[in-house]
Amino acid sequence: MTDPVTIISARTLVFRVPLAKPVSTSFGTMFNRPAVFVRLEDEIGTVGWGEIWCNWPACGADHRARLLTTDLAPRILGRPLPAPPEVWRQLTAATEILVLQTGEVGPYAQVIAGFDMAYWDLTARRAGVPLGKAMAAGATGKVRAYASGIHILDAEQMVAQARIDGYRDFKVKVGFDFDRDLDLLRGLHAKLRPGETLYADANQGFPLDKARVFLQATDNLGLGWMEEPLRVDCPDTVWQELRGSTSTPIAGGENLIGEQAFEAAIKAGSLSVIQPDAAKWGGPSGCLAVARSARAAGRRYCPHFLGAGIGLVASAHILAAAGGDGLLEIDVNPNPLRDAIVPRWPVVREGLVELPAGAGLGVEPDLDQLAPFQTLSLSAEG
């Protein structure tokens, strides 16, 4: 980007899809799937789209939508802006004391991430190039994807369907019933076909002793990785002890916030796979920097994402810009908020997805399709 950009409006839109069956998690029961989209428009009419993480709590989506339009937007509207990475750093620095004052580390990180995503989309559209190419000239046109969001109890049926849909990599959630999960995981592994890989995600569900036993019991399965086997706030010594007890790569990063946290995790070496979520922290600016640091240290960058369509496409572009052998996470559960983008995306063939060819993200939200789920719309003008 060469010419300064002036954002004249920032809008947030909140959507909620009721779940057919409530989902019980370690932190509560989810009754709907929310999404917060960010829409930015510049002085020449270019529009960019982003997404803010808001899975929990239920009221969090509205709070984040208001936070962006009432606090973040006045800081950027109506003035010439530099390139996205510099704006991201400026906003992060400008809100540091406020974050300490309010204790809202996550919400501020997430709204800045959503803004950064939308601003990258806008600037790439102004330049007439895909987002991945705007971030790195050598960005690839395809990335490998894996089927995610698969509960171990539903895994046999969901893996079979994901295979039909073109996936060759499958991640299942474990950590519910120790012995049962082990048996089911072994059964899934036995049915894998050549070229397929199984991954597991414990969502911080194990204490150290159980994590160690579970990993040792599955060492012979050739899992692609075990994700978040421990609480993210466990001391480095605990993570290192676990890493030394298994040959399975350990993955994590979706619940880390801040460059220092990621640099410390990369340096410690316990995580072989680094997984920041671009809607939760960093946006494309922060996540690409983390991806490059991870790859330089011999780690694997695989973006975490479990939201709507805008953030998913952005994650694919970041992965394409980062390069390497990382995988794109795609939740294969029904989700109208993921599917309501035009043109329709993704299509998975032999485990690969081709990135949208248009400028910026290459897609836009289908607001007509999303209209039945919209619950809030807020705007700020400058």
Side-chain angles (χ1 to χ4, degrees):
M1 183 181 68
T2 55
D3 298 330
V5 176
T6 301
I7 304 296
I8 62 169
S9 73
R11 183 183 176 196
T12 50
L13 302 97
V14 177
F15 306 95
R16 296 181 188 278
V17 174
L19 295 175
K21 180 175 69 173
V23 176
S24 296
T25 71
S26 59
F27 47 80
T29 301
M30 296 182 66
F31 297 94
N32 61 68
R33 297 194 68 153
V36 179
F37 288 173
V38 180
R39 181 189 186 276
L40 302 178
E41 184 173 348
D42 68 11
E43 78 283 7
I44 60 173
T46 314
V47 170
W49 291 94
E51 183 174 342
I52 300 171
W53 184 92
C54 61
N55 287 353
W56 188 265
C59 60
D62 290 5
H63 174 53
R64 286 155 177 78
R66 296 182 189 281
L67 198 59
L68 188 140
T69 55
T70 61
D71 194 343
L72 202 68
R75 301 172 187 271
I76 52 91
L77 289 174
R79 64 180 181 90
L81 299 177
E86 179 58 27
V87 178
W88 176 73
R89 291 193 180 279
Q90 289 178 5
L91 289 172
T92 300
T95 55
E96 283 179 347
I97 300 299
L98 187 55
V99 165
L100 293 175
Q101 179 74 17
T102 61
E104 298 210 65
V105 179
Y108 271 97
Q110 292 147 21
V111 298
I112 292 173
F115 168 83
D116 182 74
M117 191 183 296
Y119 188 40
W120 264 110
D121 181 34
L122 186 151
T123 55
R125 289 179 192 270
R126 280 175 68 119
V129 297
L131 175 56
K133 294 288 186 181
M135 301 179 73
T140 60
K142 291 182 180 180
V143 295
R144 191 170 178 95
Y146 69 94
S148 182
I150 302 174
H151 194 289
I152 189 68
L153 292 179
D154 305 318
E156 185 171 1
Q157 179 181 354
M158 291 186 71
V159 166
Q161 184 59 53
R163 180 181 291 118
I164 293 171
D165 293 339
Y167 292 92
R168 300 296 177 262
D169 300 89
F170 318 96
K171 188 177 79 178
V172 298
K173 292 185 178 294
V174 298
F176 307 100
D177 182 298
F178 192 90
D179 293 330
R180 182 203 66 195
D181 290 359
L182 276 177
D183 288 341
L184 292 173
L185 205 58
R186 289 168 177 147
L188 290 170
H189 173 263
K191 294 181 180 180
L192 289 178
R193 299 177 182 178
E196 296 181 343
T197 304
L198 190 64
Y199 307 77
D201 183 357
N203 289 118
Q204 307 183 74
F206 292 131
L208 176 60
D209 56 344
K210 285 197 171 184
R212 184 191 300 112
V213 173
F214 195 92
L215 278 162
Q216 290 174 345
T218 55
D219 259 348
N220 64 336
L221 300 185
L223 295 177
W225 65 65
M226 170 61 77
E227 187 170 330
E228 290 194 326
L230 303 170
R231 283 176 51 140
V232 70
D233 59 355
C234 283
D236 286 344
T237 53
V238 174
W239 281 97
Q240 289 165 1
E241 181 181 346
L242 182 63
R243 182 69 193 94
S245 69
T246 180
S247 61
T248 300
I250 297 178
E254 67 179 274
N255 291 308
L256 295 178
I257 295 179
E259 292 175 288
Q260 290 184 344
F262 279 102
E263 288 301 325
I266 292 168
K267 183 178 180 180
S270 300
L271 299 180
S272 300
V273 185
I274 307 297
Q275 302 172 304
D277 186 315
K280 200 169 189 180
W281 172 85
S285 293
C287 289
L288 182 61
V290 166
R292 286 171 171 165
S293 294
R295 292 201 60 212
R299 313 285 184 262
R300 194 179 189 187
Y301 166 68
C302 296
H304 173 273
F305 191 74
L306 209 70
I310 295 299
L312 177 60
V313 177
S315 298
H317 280 286
I318 301 167
L319 179 58
D325 62 347
L327 302 174
L328 177 68
E329 180 172 23
I330 301 180
D331 179 13
V332 293
N333 289 284
N335 185 0
L337 305 182
R338 179 198 58 227
D339 298 338
I341 53 176
V342 287
R344 185 70 177 267
W345 187 91
V347 176
V348 183
R349 294 189 177 91
E350 296 296 324
L352 300 174
V353 292
E354 190 169 346
L355 271 71
L361 291 172
V363 302
E364 295 183 358
D366 186 337
L367 297 181
D368 289 336
Q369 190 175 339
L370 288 167
F373 309 113
Q374 184 171 329
T375 58
L376 185 66
S377 176
L378 301 169
S379 295
E381 310 291 332

